[in-house]
Amino acid sequence: MSISGGIIDCHIHPNADLGSTPEETAETLLRYADRMGIEMMGLSLGPIFHPQPTEEQIEADNTFNANIIALHPDRFFGYANINPNRLYHALSEISERIENGPFIGIKLWIAMCCTHPNLDPICERAAELGVPILQHTFLRPEGNLAGESSPADLVELAARHPDTTFIGAHTGFNWEQGAREFADQANIVADTCGGDPDMGFVETAVRWMGADRVLYGSDAGGRSFATQLAKVHGADISDADKEKILRTNAKRVLNL
Amino acid sequence: MIIDCNANLGQWPFRRTAYSTPDQLVERLARVQIDHAWVTSLDAVMLKDVTAANEPLAEAVADHTQLTAIGTVNPKWPAWGSDVEACAEQFGMPGVRVNPNYQSWTLEEPVFADLLAAARDLGLFVEIAVRMTDERHHHPLVMVPPVALSGLLANALEYSDVPIVVANAKNAEAGSVARDSGGDLPDNLFFELSHFESVGGVQSVAENIGVEHVLFGTHAPYFYPEAATLKVFDECDFSEADLEAITHANAERLLAGD
Amino acid sequence: MVIDCHVHVQGNWGTPDDRMGYLLEYADRLGIDRLCVSLGTSRDHEPDMDTIRESNDMVWEALEQHDRYIGFCYLNPCYLQGSLDEIERCIADGPFTGIKLWVAMLCDQPNLDPICERAAELGAPILQHTWMKITGNLPFESTPYHVASLARRHPDVDFILGHTGGNWEMGYRIVADIPNVYCEVAGGDPELGQTEMGVALCGADRIVYGSDAPGRSFASQIAKVRGADIADDDKAKILGGNMQRVLGL
């Protein structure tokens, strides 16, 4: 299928093996993105993933990603990394990196479970700025990591902040369950990234959440653009729905 | 007229059984004069999203008036209420089955009461499968204890207008619920007989729990359907009235909600 | 003739005669002519010789009252001389026909050899309980592997593989190439396919019907044969013909 405009990948990282400088990382990502018809990619985290990042690590990763965006502003956008355990620093990074640019969203990983009250001022600030929060969500059969949010945790947070838009990353990883958890919480959209290209992933997300609430993401460089795009390209859904998932939903949610 | 309240379609993950399609099952049950069967999906037991088996099951039996599809639901699964609704309204099923042991919940948890409340609203019966196969022969990586029936009686009394079917229970399991009830099982509680054993066992269980609580069931095609018919018609000497009750009248009363 | 190769006198109500009469009433309803009976009321896993003799006496009483019963003499091979003496008392000099072994000793042990040698001389078949429980066997509960080992050492004795190991999908395979082992269908759930697989792997001449009544229903167990997708000739062999040969009837 062809879509009007390129694909938007809402969820990538500048993993260290892609390159050691913003220039090298951008070049590697663009080489593969071009082959796959991906026009824009949303950056977060940094070359090394820090489960409990210090303020210095947060700032270094945000600067690294801002530099990539500065090199190719038409191909990359970014989410401000923050650690909600360091609330004042988190709020100052939001002001610094979003209000003053170039970031257009907030990334939350596993430093703190998202049901914690520290998230409230962050969500309020996101609503004021009109930017979405990309929250990692996972369901491990052996129990989630300390500080790792489940889809149900994100639903609880999203219910407290109806004016904020959340991207539920990985659809909870256990997507059969995650898509159902997210179904009734309208201010959550789900991304399809990470995990194996299990057949049925995107169909299930569309069935439970509607095609307007599903975003394509890859989790590159840890994952291949190809395996993750396959979830959408190979899905038994209409071409119109694929276009929403590959591009137009991201444009709407991220104000691109 | 014989109604088999416990037959299955599809494939059990740990054995390939014959007679797994609707045509084959209908023919096989007719061989022992079983006219009608309520069928659940063997595939549903080990699925994570158990409801994925419901629509295929409904479609599979659509062309067979001899079969009634019973959907499977998991009240621990997100948005399970919509699955129960789909069974009732979209697929026209009279009841839903649960496998609490394979779904990691117990009858003492609030989800069971929630399920009964939902079933009441939709006019469904709820069927609990105590086990699927003999615990001594489970796959070494999938050893699943049977469902403990504590909590069953209190909920049956609380939701007295929801028929509850207990499938694949052994003599002692049915007997313990009857004992807890002081010999007076609630009218809405039924036990299916495929796993009743011992010489004259069906009759002794029926005397113990009350014949009006016994439903005919085969657990075919995992079990030979002859096991149930030989137990009921040949080994035991039930009166004509008792045979009527066991083979279809109890099931019909259950469905009518009387 | 329909022969049930695996029935017990167990129970603690009435007299053994009462209990055996009760069993015959049910056996009649299912067309079972002869019943191989063993084990009295005791369910001691490692019975002493007094318990063994008491158990066999209970069966003896039944044999005197009802000519439809065939006696299997219960032994605990841990007591080797006692076992050999009991074989003389019950089989050589008494009305018993076969030997029943349960869970007192793993049946591949050397104590079994003199017992098997005497059984061969007397033409007595040995019914050895076997199970393979994923939940764990009893300490000295034999599996079909143990019977296979013993049966290969004693090709002149007919062994009846009790319950075919319970897990019959494995049991049949373990003994498939041992001609003096007969696979018994008794004692598990009436799972469809059990008898068909036995015929396919071991041949219809080596499958025998048994029930494990009264703990199991005659009906649920005979259903395994009556409901099987096999030839009527094969059903006749399994229901009685094979045991007639084994018992020399």
Side-chain angles (χ1 to χ4, degrees):
Chain A
M1 67 168 291
S2 65
I3 64 173
S4 47
I7 293 167
I8 299 172
D9 186 330
C10 76
H11 190 143
I12 71 158
H13 306 296
N15 303 52
D17 52 4
L18 299 170
S20 55
T21 64
E23 290 77 7
E24 281 178 16
T25 303
E27 189 192 330
T28 310
L29 283 166
L30 287 173
R31 186 162 74 242
Y32 291 104
D34 286 347
R35 289 185 196 163
M36 304 307 297
I38 296 169
E39 179 186 346
M40 294 197 78
M41 293 165 271
L43 286 158
S44 66
L45 302 182
I48 305 291
F49 293 4
H50 305 289
Q52 195 56 259
T54 64
E55 295 177 7
E56 292 72 27
Q57 288 166 336
I58 290 275
E59 288 172 23
D61 285 347
N62 282 339
T63 300
F64 191 92
N65 290 345
N67 287 339
I68 293 177
I69 295 167
L71 288 167
H72 303 280
D74 55 335
R75 305 298 300 274
F76 292 100
F77 57 93
Y79 304 84
N81 295 306
I82 58 171
N83 181 345
N85 284 302
R86 299 165 186 276
L87 183 54
Y88 291 110
H89 183 260
L91 292 169
S92 102
E93 279 296 290
I94 291 172
S95 294
E96 187 85 13
R97 308 276 184 178
I98 299 178
E99 205 167 2
N100 300 333
F103 293 125
I104 59 172
I106 295 167
K107 165 70 179 186
L108 293 167
W109 195 38
I110 57 171
M112 173 180 265
C113 180
C114 71
T115 54
H116 193 280
N118 272 19
L119 275 293
D120 292 332
I122 292 168
C123 293
E124 285 161 18
R125 192 77 179 103
E128 284 168 20
L129 293 167
V131 298
I133 295 178
L134 173 59
Q135 170 67 62
H136 167 96
T137 60
F138 235 66
L139 284 160
R140 299 177 198 267
E142 71 278 17
N144 275 7
L145 305 172
E148 187 170 41
S149 303
S150 71
D153 294 329
L154 183 58
V155 168
E156 186 181 324
L157 180 70
R160 295 209 301 267
H161 297 281
D163 297 332
T164 307
T165 298
F166 299 87
I167 304 171
H170 317 300
T171 317
F173 189 70
N174 180 342
W175 45 267
E176 287 170 286
Q177 187 171 340
R180 286 170 172 248
E181 302 268 18
F182 288 155
D184 292 338
Q185 191 61 43
N187 55 329
I188 297 177
V189 298
D191 84 27
T192 61
C193 81
D196 293 331
D198 292 351
M199 195 179 288
F201 187 135
V202 171
E203 293 90 327
T204 301
V206 168
R207 176 179 163 204
W208 285 92
M209 303 182 66
D212 292 330
R213 289 174 57 205
V214 182
L215 305 188
Y216 157 69
S218 65
D219 216 2
R223 286 279 176 178
S224 139
F225 290 122
T227 59
Q228 305 301 306
L229 273 172
K231 294 177 184 172
V232 187
H233 287 320
D236 285 332
I237 56 174
S238 70
D239 284 353
D241 285 351
K242 289 185 186 179
E243 179 156 352
K244 288 178 180 178
I245 294 166
L246 292 171
R247 179 173 173 88
T248 47
N249 290 343
K251 284 184 75 76
R252 183 186 77 243
V253 168
L254 291 153
N255 304 308
L256 285 168
Chain B
M1 173 72 180
I2 306 176
I3 299 175
D4 178 354
C5 299
N6 181 25
N8 309 284
L9 284 176
Q11 291 286 4
W12 182 238
F14 309 105
R15 179 173 295 157
R16 290 290 86 108
T17 58
Y19 311 108
S20 57
T21 70
D23 283 337
Q24 293 165 338
L25 183 70
V26 165
E27 182 276 330
R28 186 67 178 83
L29 293 177
R31 233 195 270 175
V32 289
Q33 283 76 52
I34 293 172
D35 308 282
H36 194 93
W38 302 352
V39 289
T40 61
S41 167
L42 288 173
D43 303 286
V45 180
M46 293 298 291
L47 289 172
K48 288 196 290 181
D49 183 355
V50 298
T51 55
N54 288 341
E55 188 167 359
L57 181 71
E59 283 171 4
V61 307
D63 297 332
H64 296 79
T65 54
Q66 305 96 326
L67 302 177
T68 298
I70 308 299
T72 300
V73 297
N74 176 359
K76 271 291 181 79
W77 194 239
W80 61 271
S82 63
D83 301 328
V84 181
E85 276 170 27
C87 287
E89 290 165 0
Q90 187 182 344
F91 305 129
M93 295 166 171
V96 289
R97 169 179 278 207
V98 289
N99 296 90
N101 47 351
Y102 288 87
Q103 298 167 351
S104 293
W105 56 277
T106 75
L107 303 185
E108 291 181 310
E109 291 180 46
V111 288
F112 183 44
D114 294 343
L115 173 66
L116 293 171
R120 179 176 58 195
D121 293 344
L122 292 160
L124 296 171
F125 70 77
V126 171
E127 180 184 25
I128 300 152
V130 173
R131 61 174 52 75
M132 293 306 294
T133 67
D134 187 328
E135 289 78 22
R136 295 171 296 180
H137 309 153
H138 282 184
H139 189 286
L141 296 180
V142 189
M143 295 166 65
V144 185
V147 176
L149 294 180
S150 50
L152 173 63
L153 187 62
N155 278 294
L157 289 165
E158 176 76 24
Y159 294 89
S160 58
D161 44 359
V162 181
I164 300 174
V165 178
V166 182
N168 300 340
K170 296 183 179 182
N171 306 31
E173 290 160 337
S176 74
V177 179
R179 190 176 61 244
D180 291 346
S181 73
D184 186 20
L185 277 185
D187 293 342
N188 56 321
L189 197 46
F190 298 85
F191 287 85
E192 169 278 323
L193 60 76
S194 64
H195 281 63
F196 294 168
E197 269 292 349
S198 82
V199 170
V202 176
Q203 201 151 10
S204 64
V205 174
E207 283 165 11
N208 187 12
I209 72 173
V211 72
E212 67 276 19
H213 298 286
V214 178
L215 299 177
F216 183 89
T218 62
H219 198 35
Y222 199 80
F223 279 10
Y224 289 104
E226 283 81 359
T229 53
L230 288 170
K231 282 192 293 192
V232 171
F233 297 108
D234 294 71
E235 187 175 79
C236 297
D237 62 344
F238 284 113
S239 68
E240 280 303 315
D242 285 352
L243 280 179
E244 287 283 303
I246 291 170
T247 53
H248 63 96
N250 290 344
E252 288 159 352
R253 191 177 80 248
L254 180 157
L255 289 180
D258 295 340
Chain C
M1 181 190 292
V2 176
I3 301 173
D4 186 328
C5 78
H6 193 146
V7 176
H8 301 299
V9 205
Q10 69 199 33
N12 48 16
W13 60 275
T15 64
D17 186 35
D18 289 339
R19 298 203 291 274
M20 299 320 279
Y22 164 87
L23 279 183
L24 289 177
E25 193 181 319
Y26 283 98
D28 282 342
R29 292 183 190 158
L30 289 154
I32 299 163
D33 301 297
R34 304 290 300 271
L35 296 83
C36 298
V37 65
S38 63
L39 274 177
T41 300
S42 168
R43 276 292 174 270
D44 189 345
H45 292 157
E46 293 159 61
D48 58 23
M49 278 311 302
D50 285 343
T51 308
I52 287 283
R53 279 187 287 265
E54 195 180 302
S55 175
N56 287 330
D57 285 346
M58 203 176 273
V59 173
W60 199 316
E61 196 182 324
L63 296 177
E64 286 180 339
Q65 301 290 332
H66 303 279
D67 58 8
R68 290 168 62 189
Y69 285 110
I70 297 161
F72 272 58
C73 171
Y74 183 34
L75 302 177
N76 177 349
C78 295
Y79 303 98
L80 180 53
Q81 190 55 52
S83 293
L84 293 170
D85 291 347
E86 195 65 358
I87 290 174
E88 296 310 306
R89 181 177 82 99
C90 296
I91 303 176
D93 304 329
F96 286 72
T97 309
I99 291 169
K100 161 75 183 184
L101 299 169
W102 196 36
V103 295
M105 176 180 263
L106 292 174
C107 72
D108 64 344
Q109 296 299 302
N111 270 19
L112 275 294
D113 291 329
I115 292 172
C116 290
E117 284 158 19
R118 188 65 182 126
E121 288 164 13
L122 294 168
I126 298 179
L127 168 55
Q128 169 67 62
H129 164 97
T130 62
W131 216 286
M132 307 179 87
K133 298 169 184 161
I134 197 70
T135 43
N137 273 21
L138 296 167
F140 306 111
E141 186 171 24
S142 297
T143 70
Y145 288 112
H146 298 105
V147 171
S149 164
L150 184 66
R152 286 198 173 100
R153 300 206 298 265
H154 298 281
D156 298 336
V157 178
D158 286 336
F159 292 89
I160 300 167
L161 185 69
H163 317 297
T164 313
N167 182 344
W168 44 267
E169 286 164 297
M170 290 177 73
Y172 290 130
R173 286 171 174 253
I174 293 165
V175 301
D177 62 346
I178 309 175
N180 55 322
V181 176
Y182 291 80
C183 294
E184 174 213 79
V185 303
D189 288 334
E191 293 174 354
L192 192 140
Q194 176 173 353
T195 307
E196 291 89 329
M197 184 178 280
V199 170
L201 293 182
C202 300
D205 292 332
R206 285 179 45 215
I207 311 298
V208 294
Y209 158 69
S211 66
D212 209 6
R216 287 278 178 174
S217 147
F218 289 120
S220 71
Q221 305 300 306
I222 208 165
K224 295 175 183 174
V225 186
R226 296 238 187 114
D229 286 330
I230 55 174
D232 285 349
D233 288 354
D234 288 346
K235 288 187 188 182
K237 289 177 180 174
I238 295 167
L239 288 172
N242 294 338
M243 275 309 288
Q244 251 180 300
R245 195 173 66 247
V246 168
L247 294 164
L249 292 180

